[in-house]
Amino acid sequence: MTNSKIAGIGSYLPDRIVKNQDLTKYLDTSDEWIRERTGIEERRYATKHLQTTTTLGTEAAKIAIERAGIQKEDIDFIIFATLSPDYYFPGCGVLLQRELGITNTEIGALDIRNQCTGFIYGLSIADQFIKTGMYKNILLVGAEMHSMGLDFSDEGRGVTVIFGDGAGAVVLQPTQKEGQGILTTHLHADGTHAEELAMINPGSHGGYHVGTEKYGYPDPSVPGGVFVTQKMLDDGLLAPNMSGQLVFKTAVAKFPEVIREALAKTGYTTADIDIFVPHQANLRISQMVQKLLRIPDEKVVNNIQKYGNTTAASIPIALCEAWENGRVKDGDLVCLAAFGSGFTWGSALIRW
Ligand code: ACO
């Protein structure tokens, strides 16, 4: 049977390092508070007005393409996962195609909006396309430029300190080698808490949010409207919000659940995992999950300390770094898992 394998991997982190201490210039926060609650020491911010989510993704994609030993012209499908796109529409997939200089119009470009689980969702989609024989070289990119969408007032500090910019990319190809490649992927969703980790503005609700006038849509009987109301601007409602404790509680339950699901499907146990790359949500979440699954430190990849939470980019960045450092070797059983906004969660097991 045809499986899909990761044939090339790359990442890109902007040069500008923003330490916790640097954030105290803008926010009433402290290095101690951020480290204690999240494990984060610093994050990267891209260059405002010169870089975008797509350009970050492009840098990572170039490395992944080169390492896969192919040319950009060989790419037959693009999947781009982000929650911080360059434009409201069109999505970053076509922008990446243009940025890479791919003029072939036979290829498809898909944007997915699954936030922290975007990379796992993308991996699963790519895997299905490769298994069916439809595509042979899929470029999957996870990239975020959070720094342009955060609230740098004290009100936003709980969210702002967590996120950073960056990008990761992989090229997926078919493999006939028995037992190699993506062994299984598992995707889940529960929209019950959609607004608990969200950026709900701007949107087609036009400020008239879940039956309330909380966000100031002027008159529901008047046809048409605007995505952004003056009240949203006045009230600073154009930034992400998060119910931190609910996210923490749900994440530490769902990570182990979806990993065990993948292990059960393939007949492995947690002891068989050679390397575990969790979505870098929060070091405390990853440590709790690791403890619940009894995975030893040397098998867990954590780099949130350096990059913060880069949402859809966090898994490919961490996986790339682990691979570059020789921590991911041929034949290893690699476990990826993520939880995030939606809520959505997912896992993947890969025989490298
Ligand atoms: N600096 C200093 N103080 C802050 C900050 C900050 N950046 N942010 C909030 N505070 C204050 C609050 O105002 C509050 O003050 P008060 O007691 O005077 O009212 C106090 O700190 C405690 O606030 P809480 O929100 O209750 O803090 P909590 O202990 O829950 O920690 C945190 C917040 C870190 C977000 C925690 O809930 C958490 O780890 N949640 C998991 C969510 C997460 O990590 N999400 C990652 C992104 S989503 C994803 O990738 C899945």
Side-chain angles (χ1 to χ4, degrees):
M1 191 177 91
T2 303
N3 270 352
S4 351
K5 65 167 185 185
I6 293 180
I9 184 162
S11 67
Y12 175 79
L13 279 311
D15 294 336
R16 185 177 164 205
I17 297 171
V18 178
K19 294 191 172 294
N20 291 342
Q21 191 59 32
D22 299 327
L23 291 177
T24 64
K25 286 182 217 150
Y26 316 102
L27 302 165
D28 180 11
T29 189
S30 66
D31 178 47
E32 194 191 6
W33 193 98
I34 301 170
R35 272 178 205 253
E36 243 173 46
R37 304 284 214 291
T38 70
I40 298 166
E41 295 165 20
E42 57 190 48
R43 73 284 297 137
R44 303 293 178 96
Y45 283 176
T47 310
K48 201 169 163 176
H49 302 153
L50 285 179
Q51 292 180 301
T52 66
T53 297
T54 300
T55 67
L56 303 184
T58 304
E59 294 307 319
K62 283 180 187 164
I63 299 168
I65 291 169
E66 196 194 329
R67 287 178 175 167
I70 59 166
Q71 304 296 314
K72 61 181 197 273
E73 291 75 20
D74 298 322
I75 300 293
D76 44 20
F77 195 66
I78 293 170
I79 304 176
F80 203 119
T82 186
L83 70 71
S84 51
D86 298 26
Y87 303 143
Y88 196 84
F89 72 85
C92 291
V94 292
L95 302 180
L96 178 88
Q97 178 197 15
R98 184 175 67 187
E99 196 72 20
L100 283 171
I102 299 175
T103 52
N104 175 13
T105 56
E106 298 298 310
I107 74 169
L110 174 72
D111 286 80
I112 53 175
R113 301 188 47 183
N114 288 84
Q115 298 70 246
C116 305
T117 50
F119 186 77
I120 303 271
Y121 267 71
L123 207 60
S124 185
I125 293 166
D127 187 36
Q128 312 315 313
F129 275 134
I130 284 179
K131 279 204 171 92
T132 60
M134 187 149 171
Y135 297 119
K136 301 224 160 0
N137 285 296
I138 299 183
L139 174 62
L140 167 61
V141 176
E144 303 287 358
M145 187 161 165
H146 285 305
S147 57
M148 285 298 279
L150 296 169
D151 176 2
F152 284 90
S153 75
D154 285 346
E155 226 170 298
R157 64 184 177 168
V159 173
T160 299
V161 298
I162 294 176
F163 294 95
D165 301 344
V170 293
V171 171
L172 291 135
Q173 290 176 348
T175 173
Q176 308 299 336
K177 199 170 155 191
E178 190 62 31
Q180 191 196 28
I182 298 175
L183 307 180
T184 190
T185 57
H186 299 265
L187 308 178
H188 291 272
D190 175 5
T192 314
H193 301 295
E195 287 80 16
E196 303 291 343
L197 176 53
M199 178 164 152
I200 67 153
N201 295 312
S204 61
H205 59 80
Y208 193 80
H209 173 53
V210 226
T212 73
E213 289 185 40
K214 197 171 159 195
Y215 297 111
Y217 184 73
D219 180 357
S221 67
V222 177
V226 286
F227 278 141
V228 184
T229 63
Q230 189 58 45
K231 183 154 170 54
M232 287 178 202
L233 293 167
D234 294 344
D235 293 351
L237 292 169
L238 288 162
N241 62 272
M242 172 175 73
S243 302
Q245 286 166 21
L246 176 69
V247 171
F248 197 104
K249 210 172 61 185
T250 318
V252 296
K254 295 301 179 193
F255 267 104
E257 199 177 287
V258 76
I259 291 166
R260 288 197 175 105
E261 188 183 340
L263 291 168
K265 178 78 190 294
T266 48
Y268 290 115
T269 68
T270 46
D272 295 314
I273 295 172
D274 293 302
I275 195 99
F276 172 42
V277 186
H279 158 55
Q280 308 287 300
N282 178 322
L283 189 61
R284 307 292 164 240
I285 292 176
S286 297
Q287 286 170 334
M288 183 94 69
V289 172
Q290 174 188 350
K291 201 168 145 200
L292 289 167
L293 293 173
R294 297 170 198 270
I295 304 178
D297 286 352
E298 64 274 15
K299 290 187 173 183
V300 184
V301 180
N302 289 310
N303 65 4
I304 190 170
Q305 299 92 327
K306 291 188 292 179
Y307 307 131
N309 180 333
T310 56
T311 316
S314 92
I315 290 180
I317 291 172
L319 183 60
C320 182
E321 202 170 82
W323 178 80
E324 286 170 350
N325 294 336
R327 293 184 68 190
V328 183
K329 297 176 288 304
D330 285 355
D332 276 356
L333 186 65
V334 180
C335 175
L336 312 178
F339 172 86
S341 164
F343 293 144
T344 57
W345 58 103
S347 63
L349 277 181
I350 304 171
R351 180 65 71 186
W352 201 264

